[in-house]
Amino acid sequence: MQQLFLIAVRNLGTHKRRTLLLGGAIAGVTALLVILMGLSNGMKATMLESATTLMTGHVNVAGFYKVTAGQAAPVVTSYPKLLEQLRKEVPEMEYSVQRARGWVKLVSETGSIQVGVGGIDVEAETGFRKVVQVREGKLEDLAQPNTLLLFEEQAKKLDVKVGDTVTLSAPTMRGTNNTVDVRVAAIAANVGMLSSFNVYVPNASLRGLYQLREDATGALMLYLGDMADIPAVQARLFKRLPELGYQMMEHNPQPFFMKFETVNREAWTGQKIDITNWEDEISFIKWTVSALDALTFALTIVLLVIIAIGIMNTLWIAIRERTREIGTLRAIGMQREYVLVMFLLEALVLGLIGTAVGALVGLGVCLAFNAADLSVPVVVQVFIMSEKLHLVVNPSSMMGAITFITLCTTLISLIPSFLAARMKPVTAMHHIG
């Protein structure tokens, strides 16, 4: 086997032009695949970070409160006690935030828009600071009461700037309308679809608008160290919270604002807890991630077809050029299976070297892109909800690409290698080509 390996390496060195051509093609395909995976992983990571930070945690413990049977509000009462119990039940949790939430009419001197509103305690929102890019004003000013963070698109529609006052208007839980005047403290860069339908105010301001108590909030958003723990944490909370005395809603994998009609039809009053995860609350992100995975798979198949055609064509040429050599080797006693192994080893060595070089080139391109810290086009910002995109190359994915393409390269060479092994020595030695 060692001699066959040395012969294979020698053959690759002897036919340098062909080796460089095919090795370069394999390296190019591998580099493209690594860059493609880095782009796909980067987009998914950016989307998930932005969406789970701005709209939902990994696991959401929220619920509805009903004063009367027909009117539900997205409110969790006595949340400090519930949060304390969640910290005991979910050791996988890295941190949590509590967000009041609602739907308001936002009125300026020149216009108005209907938007979702999230309550935040900006000093405790470390993740929020990483995702939101403030263009005007200061994020820290949201610690002051009755302040507001808008996105550029919303500020343009309302024709307001930092320091201007706008009015929030919404019905309270008891059905009466209430208003609160807030000052625009910061205007942030657009973050895709969120720029159209969400704004942020201090939690205290939102409680004042809806006339809620200090211990009421909209949702407790739990952030886990590993998102793979989400199903286990969700299942555990569904079991433990009823044991701790909480009434639970049946699991409904929809965002909370799509559940009002169903909840309002139910006869119960009081508090029920609803547990969801990020996939339930922002299903459009899951669809986009699935589409990215499908696109990556399709492009990978196309790249593999291209390289398969190239390898088979090159090996056919190699066998044709070396027909007399094969006949000589067979005439001096080399068995057919050794001829087959010799060609397979050539493909294996070439594939291994080509994929390793290509993976390093792809990794270098990804690192260079991240170092440049370039802003992506607006159409991409809409999908990833961020103006910056960082490519993410997982070592396991890179090793997987090297192994997969090397294995495919070797398997593809089976057919021409098998045909070479079947040649009769006499016919091969008299071949003219």
Side-chain angles (χ1 to χ4, degrees):
M1 183 61 71
Q2 184 178 0
Q3 288 182 338
L4 290 175
F5 179 79
L6 292 175
I7 292 173
V9 173
R10 186 212 64 182
N11 288 336
L12 289 173
T14 302
H15 304 87
K16 291 180 181 177
R17 184 177 178 183
R18 186 178 65 232
T19 300
L20 288 175
L21 183 65
L22 186 56
I26 295 172
V29 169
T30 307
L32 282 174
L33 185 59
V34 170
I35 294 170
L36 192 63
M37 289 192 300
L39 180 63
S40 175
N41 291 335
M43 291 182 72
K44 285 190 286 187
T46 304
M47 277 193 297
L48 287 179
E49 183 182 18
S50 299
T52 56
T53 301
L54 296 178
M55 300 178 66
T56 173
H58 297 160
V59 175
N60 287 290
V61 181
F64 291 93
Y65 191 90
K66 297 173 71 174
V67 177
T68 62
Q71 189 166 5
V75 172
V76 176
T77 58
S78 304
Y79 82 82
K81 178 184 175 184
L82 175 58
L83 181 58
E84 183 180 348
Q85 290 168 329
L86 291 174
R87 285 174 176 150
K88 293 178 183 176
E89 299 297 332
V90 188
E92 300 92 339
M93 181 168 60
E94 280 196 338
Y95 69 98
S96 65
V97 298
Q98 55 92 9
R99 295 256 181 94
R101 52 191 183 183
W103 184 257
V104 301
K105 186 176 184 180
L106 192 58
V107 184
S108 71
E109 292 184 356
T110 58
S112 66
I113 55 176
Q114 291 281 352
V115 290
V117 58
I120 61 171
D121 291 329
V122 70
E123 294 177 349
E125 294 265 6
T126 53
F128 195 86
R129 294 168 180 272
K130 295 178 183 176
V131 172
V132 172
Q133 305 292 322
V134 174
R135 290 284 189 257
E136 298 177 36
K138 295 179 181 177
L139 197 60
E140 290 75 13
D141 288 347
L142 280 177
Q144 300 173 14
N146 296 338
T147 49
L148 171 73
L149 179 141
L150 289 171
F151 293 101
E152 288 177 318
E153 181 181 343
Q154 297 161 338
K156 186 177 180 182
K157 286 181 180 177
L158 294 171
D159 191 23
V160 296
K161 57 183 183 297
V162 172
D164 290 347
T165 298
V166 295
T167 301
L168 302 179
S169 175
T172 67
M173 288 177 61
R174 298 188 181 279
T176 59
N177 281 326
N178 192 25
T179 61
V180 170
D181 289 338
V182 295
R183 176 176 58 85
V184 178
I187 298 175
N190 293 332
V191 286
M193 289 173 278
L194 265 181
S195 313
S196 301
F197 60 77
N198 225 24
V199 298
Y200 296 92
V201 300
N203 268 313
S205 300
L206 204 52
R207 291 193 190 99
L209 176 66
Y210 288 107
Q211 299 178 345
L212 300 174
R213 299 190 326 188
E214 285 295 317
D215 63 351
T217 190
L220 297 171
M221 300 178 178
L222 314 184
Y223 294 87
L224 311 182
D226 186 351
M227 292 179 71
D229 293 329
I230 289 176
V233 169
Q234 207 170 350
R236 190 187 314 146
L237 292 180
F238 267 113
K239 180 182 178 182
R240 282 293 295 153
L241 289 185
E243 294 174 354
L244 294 170
Y246 292 95
Q247 293 189 55
M248 303 292 295
M249 293 176 59
E250 291 185 4
H251 182 235
N252 181 359
Q254 287 184 318
F256 80 97
F257 58 83
M258 295 181 67
K259 298 176 182 176
F260 278 93
E261 186 176 348
T262 303
V263 174
N264 284 336
R265 286 200 302 265
E266 297 174 351
W268 57 271
T269 58
Q271 175 76 65
K272 277 194 176 183
I273 299 297
D274 184 28
I275 298 176
T276 56
N277 58 41
W278 70 270
E279 291 179 300
D280 301 330
E281 296 289 335
I282 45 177
S283 55
F284 66 94
I285 292 291
K286 183 180 179 182
W287 180 89
T288 307
V289 169
S290 299
L292 277 175
D293 288 339
L295 180 62
T296 303
F297 178 77
L299 290 176
T300 301
I301 295 298
V302 171
L303 291 175
L304 285 177
V305 169
I306 294 173
I307 196 172
I309 294 173
I311 289 171
M312 290 191 70
N313 187 51
T314 304
L315 284 176
W316 278 114
I317 295 173
I319 291 169
R320 183 180 176 83
E321 289 176 349
R322 294 161 57 190
T323 299
R324 299 183 69 178
E325 177 187 338
I326 293 169
T328 304
L329 290 172
R330 292 276 292 116
I332 62 176
M334 178 177 276
Q335 301 297 316
R336 286 178 175 174
E337 57 267 27
Y338 289 149
V339 175
L340 174 69
V341 172
M342 183 181 69
F343 277 96
L344 287 178
L345 283 175
E346 278 191 45
L348 177 64
V349 172
L350 183 60
L352 197 58
I353 295 174
T355 52
V357 172
L360 291 176
V361 171
L363 177 62
V365 171
C366 292
L367 293 176
F369 182 89
N370 291 341
D373 196 28
L374 300 173
S375 296
V376 296
V378 175
V379 66
V380 179
Q381 294 178 22
V382 170
F383 283 100
I384 66 174
M385 294 186 285
S386 174
E387 64 177 0
K388 301 290 184 181
L389 171 65
H390 291 279
L391 306 190
V392 178
V393 179
N394 297 323
S396 58
S397 298
M398 196 166 74
M399 291 304 298
I402 292 174
T403 304
F404 183 65
I405 294 182
T406 300
L407 185 61
C408 288
T409 303
T410 307
L411 292 177
I412 288 166
S413 67
L414 264 175
I415 296 176
S417 300
F418 181 73
L419 293 177
R422 289 189 60 188
M423 284 185 182
K424 293 181 179 179
V426 175
T427 305
M429 291 179 69
H430 289 83
H431 175 78
I432 299 175

